Amino acid sequence: MDVSLLSRIQFAVNISFHILFPVISIALSWFVVYFRYKVGKTGDEAWLQAYRFWTKVFAVTFAMGVVSGVTMSFQFGTNWPGFMERAGNVAGPLLGYEVLTAFFLEAGFLGIMLFGRERVSQRVHMAASIVVAVGTLLSAFWILALNSWMQTPQGHWVDAEGVIHVKSWLDVIFSPSLPYRFSHKILASVLTASFLLAGLSAWQILKKSANAATPKVMKTGLAVAAVAIVLQILAGDAHGLNTKEYQPAKLAAIEGVWHTEKPVPLTLIGWPNEAEQRTDYAVKVPYLGSLILTHELDGEIKGLSEFADKPPVAPVFFGFRVMVGVGVLMLLVSWYGWFKLRKHRWQPHNLPRWLLYTFAGMTFSGWVATLAGWYVTEIGRQPFLVQGVLRTSDAVTKIVPSGNVGLTLVMYLVLYAAMLLSYLMVLKYMAEHPEHEPPGVKQLKQAEQ
């Protein structure tokens, strides 16, 4: 393998590992805020148990995200120096804004959130929890502002040496795809965290380690997931229309449209054959592709043959279907699970064991959908790093030997596998050994007696 392909794989490994944790912590921080609000409003010990447990989960997840995020910035200098040389005037400030606004908020108030409940007033502690949650949203905003600009660049100009300069920061930050990409990502985080709540709660019941918080947490997770998945479908539809306008080659790869068609059937599944420019073994629904992709029954979609620069079709085609498939499964499980839980008067202990195992199996389903969608987004932009402006081949290192990249890739794979296994084991242990009575409650009861 050449250094370009190895560097792409290495960065994909790094960002795939990193994204697992922000996609939980962004929404989980707001669940923690909700639990904290319920503690103050009701004084219910169950909500206090939920708050303490999920604050710990958030802290572990947040730490993993910070540690794994550091390595990516180094790769801009080692593996992708051309990116910072050519696009550094845009990428540098946006990444700097993320640190100055989001990370400083998170780092500054996280200690109060984690350790200050008995040391500061309840209002200050609640405010600190909200600030941390706002920080996670700001972090996502700046990172997605940069990525959205790379997908749909505007507000810049390029000099004779190929260096990109900013003409309008408003246009750069609020690029055409940012609203759709940001909403899609935030909803993905909400779904990921919701199924984590429901899945770990189900696991606690199966392992007979549930406490008073378990029913409340499961109800919260399923209810939020049932609403969020509908919003995600709507956001995904709007994102698809935006992609059709600004990245038509990516859309053609997603749907396996080889030649311009009108109307276009929806290809449910098949096997892309790039050599013959057709999709083998395709199962298609007539007219449905045009209806979904253009909102017109006979809408036209440009085929891949129309584009000189087009992405590899197979990973984009299959990645999209994995993402959609997991989304449909989330819809069915969340709706049916909420209905059954309501039928059993919000007592998850009475649910069928097969349904509890289904919830447990869906614990990290958000990871699968997120990674599949991320691959569609990034691979679908190829062969460009900045769509239509900077090619991937022009940004990769010319001085680092492929052997060095291959060696560090193997080291990353081993390290990340160990870290991921450790994270999963920690969550499993925490779920099986929750607090059945928060510290201080017993003393309070004795004092009241």
Side-chain angles (χ1 to χ4, degrees), residues 85-87 89-90 149 153-167 386-390:
E85 290 172 0
R86 300 273 295 274
N89 293 325
V90 177
W149 176 81
Q154 66 173 21
H156 67 277
W157 62 279
V158 184
D159 65 20
E161 297 180 354
V163 177
I164 302 170
H165 300 272
V166 174
K167 182 167 58 177
V386 179
Q387 183 75 47
V389 178
L390 175 61

Side-chain angles (χ1 to χ4, degrees), residues 229 321-331 362 365-366 368-369:
I229 188 60
R321 278 148 186 80
V322 169
M323 179 186 69
V324 172
V326 174
V328 171
L329 191 59
M330 285 179 167
L331 175 67
M362 293 283 289
S365 56
V368 179

Side-chain angles (χ1 to χ4, degrees), residues 183-387:
S183 60
H184 200 55
K185 191 64 181 178
I186 297 305
L187 287 168
S189 179
V190 172
L191 287 167
T192 302
S194 297
F195 276 93
L196 181 67
L197 263 64
L200 286 187
S201 299
W203 186 255
Q204 288 178 325
I205 296 171
L206 292 168
K207 294 299 178 179
K208 303 186 185 307
S209 62
N211 57 19
T214 302
K216 297 181 181 296
V217 172
M218 179 177 285
K219 177 183 176 181
T220 301
L222 289 175
V224 173
V227 175
I229 188 60
V230 176
L231 298 177
Q232 183 69 301
I233 292 171
L234 297 175
D237 177 67
H239 195 181
L241 295 177
N242 180 263
T243 303
K244 175 182 176 294
E245 181 176 357
Y246 291 96
Q247 294 179 293
K250 179 191 289 188
L251 185 68
I254 287 172
E255 297 301 330
V257 179
W258 302 94
H259 306 284
T260 302
E261 296 183 51
K262 179 183 179 181
V264 180
L266 179 68
T267 303
L268 300 178
I269 194 63
W271 192 270
N273 185 338
E274 292 195 51
E276 301 293 333
Q277 293 195 353
R278 66 169 186 259
T279 303
D280 297 330
Y281 316 111
V283 177
K284 300 183 178 183
V285 180
Y287 296 97
L288 191 55
S290 288
L291 184 60
I292 292 175
L293 300 173
T294 68
H295 290 187
E296 296 177 2
L297 199 59
D298 61 344
E300 180 180 278
I301 299 296
K302 287 186 177 181
L304 288 162
S305 60
E306 299 279 337
F307 306 100
D309 297 307
K310 44 185 172 284
V313 178
V316 178
F317 181 87
F318 288 120
F320 181 79
R321 278 148 186 80
V322 169
M323 179 186 69
V324 172
V326 174
V328 171
L329 191 59
M330 285 179 167
L331 175 67
L332 297 175
V333 171
S334 62
W335 281 25
Y336 181 76
W338 187 88
F339 170 77
K340 292 292 289 185
L341 190 60
R342 182 175 181 272
K343 186 176 180 180
H344 287 282
R345 300 182 182 275
W346 312 114
Q347 296 302 316
H349 300 78
N350 299 327
L351 291 175
R353 288 182 66 82
W354 70 264
L355 185 57
L356 293 174
Y357 274 111
T358 300
F359 292 156
M362 293 283 289
T363 302
F364 298 101
S365 56
W367 280 0
V368 179
T370 295
L371 288 177
W374 195 254
Y375 295 156
V376 170
T377 295
E378 298 305 302
I379 299 175
R381 185 183 57 208
Q382 298 302 317
F384 292 101
L385 205 56
V386 179
Q387 183 75 47

